[in-house]
């Protein structure tokens, strides 16, 4: 067991605080805070860097350090709450700092200066209501694996080793109704992957082995209902229990609000939506274009497209196609507005350049990784476009993740 004693000076993208070892290598230390002198247990190393977890604060404990609400997800524990040791208010500072430095590191000085000139602030805002629970009890979806003893387990961070867990503090209270630590033990099988969900419009359910259950051996519908209220408007959705949906209980409404504010869709507009999932954004976009306009949405997952079609039943000018988005699919793409919500890897330089150069008025990019956001926006800048809107929102409290919405025109 190798340990190092170091001073932490900064924070890095990915959830670690940063310091330097005596041999000059950069140390990425999870569960540390800048200003602290800490003992780090090394969990991995290369010729240029060392990774580890803070197992002891030796001196200068940070005023922003809090006791771990979920100790099993602390140092040397399971992944999933790598900012669980950081005071809720300071998580926004941490993430804003990472966002600003990532903009510069990936997009260069030009992108940082461009954001400043455009009056765009790289700040990450907490979701309303989260301060009350310090961001705990906010997730309507949690995933785990059944351990050898039949109890819920998760993987130790960056490893294939399963560790039993005794609670899920990130889950909303309603998930407790499933009694995950009760009668399922003799029913589900070790090694099975389980998703527990508490949809806003249906009873809590468990997705395991491709089926949906509300209690051991008691089947539930394979689709659940999600109701999202934004500005007094209700958007209602069906979603396959195993399919993608935003995990934070307020994330769906927040993303609709931000995307619609940035997209400025007018009646009669032609909108192209990429990576549209079950149609979370497609529905409000179609309401905004009205029947004089059109929304063309693309999504790779068949089940999500089935959900989206059901969700757009009353808005027939919105059409969804099951298709992989690649350079071929985007050839000749055009419209008033393109909305893209890709997975963590972002659009990539090729697709970002295609969109940047396309006959499209406004591109709304939803990014769950600041590095891919900075790269994609920098590529579109290189096509002569300007960033005109930027908001970042903390839809993953107690982890290093957050979401960005950028508009490029
Ligand atoms: C971050 S989710 C966003 C979905 C939706 N906007 C929402 O918020 O619910 C990204 C979606 O992209 C889809 N996807 C990933 N790669 C894709 C590809 N190459 N082509 C089409 N869809 C893809 C996934 O299935 C997923 O539904």
């Amino acid at each position: 067991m190798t340990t190092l004693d170091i001073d932490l000076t900064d924070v890095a993208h990915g959830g670690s605080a940063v310091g330097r070892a005596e041999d000059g290598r950069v140390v990425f230390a999870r569960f540390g805070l800048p200003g602290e002198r800490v003992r780090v247990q090394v969990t991995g190393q290369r010729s240029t860097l060392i990774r580890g977890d803070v197992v002891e604060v030796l001196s200068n404990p940070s005023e922003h350090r809090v006791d771990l609400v979920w100790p099993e997800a602390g140092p040397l524990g399971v992944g999933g709450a790598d900012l669980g040791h950081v005071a809720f208010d300071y998580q926004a500072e941490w993430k804003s700092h990472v966002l600003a430095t990532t903009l510069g590191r990936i997009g260069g000085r030009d992108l940082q200066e461009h954001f400043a000139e455009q009056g765009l602030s790289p700040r990450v805002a907490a979701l309303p209501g989260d301060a009350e629970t310090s961001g705990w009890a906010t997730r309507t979806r949690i995933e785990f694996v059944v351990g050898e003893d039949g109890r819920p387990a998760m993987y130790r961070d960056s490893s294939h080793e399963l560790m039993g867990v005794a609670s899920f503090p990130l889950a909303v209270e309603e998930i407790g109704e499933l009694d995950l630590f009760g009668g399922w033990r003799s029913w589900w099988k070790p090694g099975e992957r389980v998703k527990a969900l508490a949809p806003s419009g249906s009873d809590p359910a468990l997705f395991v082995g491709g089926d949906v259950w509300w209690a051991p051996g008691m089947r539930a519908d394979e689709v659940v209902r999600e109701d999202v209220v934004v500005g007094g408007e209700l958007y209602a959705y069906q979603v396959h229990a195993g399919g993608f949906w935003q995990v934070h209980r307020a994330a769906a409404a927040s993303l609709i609000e931000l995307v619609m504010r940035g997209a400025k869709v007018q009646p009669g507009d032609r909108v192209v939506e990429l990576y549209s999932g079950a149609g979370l954004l497609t529905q409000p976009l179609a309401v905004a274009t009205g029947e004089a306009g059109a929304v063309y949405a693309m999504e790779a997952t068949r089940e999500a497209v089935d959900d989206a079609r059901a969700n757009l039943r009353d808005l027939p000018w919105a059409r969804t196609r099951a298709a992989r988005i690649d350079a071929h699919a985007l050839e000749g793409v055009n419209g008033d507005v393109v909305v893209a919500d890709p997975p963590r890897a972002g659009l990539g330089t090729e697709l970002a350049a295609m969109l940047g150069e396309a006959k499209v008025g406004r591109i709304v990019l939803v990014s769950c990784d600041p590095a891919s956001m900075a790269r994609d926006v920098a590529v579109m800048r290189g096509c002569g476009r300007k960033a005109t809107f930027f908001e970042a929102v903390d839809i993953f409290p107690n982890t290093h993740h957050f979401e960005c919405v950028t508009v490029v025109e």
Side-chain angles (χ1 to χ4, degrees), residues 269-300:
D269 274 356
R270 173 189 164 97
V271 177
V272 175
E273 190 195 352
L274 308 174
Y275 312 94
S276 47
L280 172 72
L281 303 171
T282 327
Q283 216 185 111
L285 288 168
V287 170
T289 68
E291 58 186 322
V295 183
Y296 301 107
M298 288 165 67
E299 159 62 44

Side-chain angles (χ1 to χ4, degrees), residues 244 246 275-277 280-281 299-301 323-325 341-343:
F244 179 86
Q246 300 291 342
Y275 312 94
S276 47
L280 172 72
L281 303 171
E299 159 62 44
T301 310
R324 273 208 82 66
I325 293 154
D341 183 4

Side-chain angles (χ1 to χ4, degrees), residues 127-409:
L127 285 173
D130 275 8
E132 283 154 36
T133 62
S134 294
W136 299 101
T138 50
R139 288 198 181 192
T140 65
R141 266 79 177 158
I142 55 161
E143 295 190 40
F144 58 90
V145 178
V146 180
E148 278 307 315
D149 61 357
R151 293 181 183 280
M154 292 176 69
Y155 288 106
R156 189 190 287 279
D157 185 68
S158 308
S159 104
H160 299 294
E161 184 193 340
L162 274 179
M163 292 176 71
V165 289
S167 64
F168 290 106
L170 281 171
V172 293
E173 213 178 299
E174 292 85 337
I175 286 198
E177 288 172 32
L178 290 167
D179 195 19
L180 296 174
F181 299 93
W184 298 89
R185 200 172 164 186
S186 55
W187 186 83
W188 55 28
K189 298 179 198 66
E192 278 191 309
R193 289 181 173 274
V194 181
K195 175 173 168 183
L197 53 161
S200 55
S202 310
D203 289 334
L206 210 72
F207 180 74
V208 54
D211 288 310
V212 190
W213 313 88
W214 61 271
M218 305 299 291
R219 278 184 193 278
D221 288 345
E222 65 175 23
V223 296
V224 298
R225 301 222 60 86
E226 291 286 354
D227 295 328
V228 184
V229 179
V230 185
E233 287 295 317
L234 170 71
Y235 301 98
Y237 302 86
Q238 73 161 54
V239 188
H240 273 79
F244 179 86
W245 190 255
Q246 300 291 342
V247 298
H248 188 294
R249 66 158 80 211
S254 169
L255 287 182
I256 289 179
E257 193 275 322
L258 289 177
V259 166
M260 296 310 291
R261 189 145 53 87
K264 296 193 185 118
V265 173
Q266 301 299 313
D269 274 356
R270 173 189 164 97
V271 177
V272 175
E273 190 195 352
L274 308 174
Y275 312 94
S276 47
L280 172 72
L281 303 171
T282 327
Q283 216 185 111
L285 288 168
V287 170
T289 68
E291 58 186 322
V295 183
Y296 301 107
M298 288 165 67
E299 159 62 44
T301 310
R302 184 80 244 174
E303 271 184 353
V305 171
D306 290 344
D307 287 335
R309 287 183 177 156
N311 295 330
L312 297 164
R313 207 179 291 118
D314 300 333
L315 305 163
W317 54 95
R319 288 168 51 196
T320 309
R321 186 171 176 80
R324 273 208 82 66
I325 293 154
D326 55 16
H328 173 69
L330 292 194
E331 231 170 81
V333 69
N334 65 89
D336 298 294
V337 180
V338 168
V339 174
D341 183 4
R344 196 160 300 279
L347 292 169
T349 48
E350 187 183 18
L351 299 192
M354 285 184 83
L355 287 183
E357 279 160 15
K359 283 193 181 140
V360 171
R362 189 173 293 128
I363 299 155
V364 183
L365 178 64
V366 183
S367 320
C368 55
D369 177 56
S372 67
M373 177 277 293
R375 180 205 56 213
D376 291 345
V377 174
V379 169
M380 291 194 257
R381 271 280 294 149
C383 304
R385 289 182 179 265
K386 285 183 177 172
T388 56
F389 175 99
F390 180 82
E391 295 279 347
V393 63
D394 190 2
I395 62 175
F396 304 101
N398 293 303
T399 79
H400 71 274
H401 300 288
F402 54 92
E403 197 90 347
C404 303
V405 178
T406 317
V407 176
V408 182
E409 299 191 51

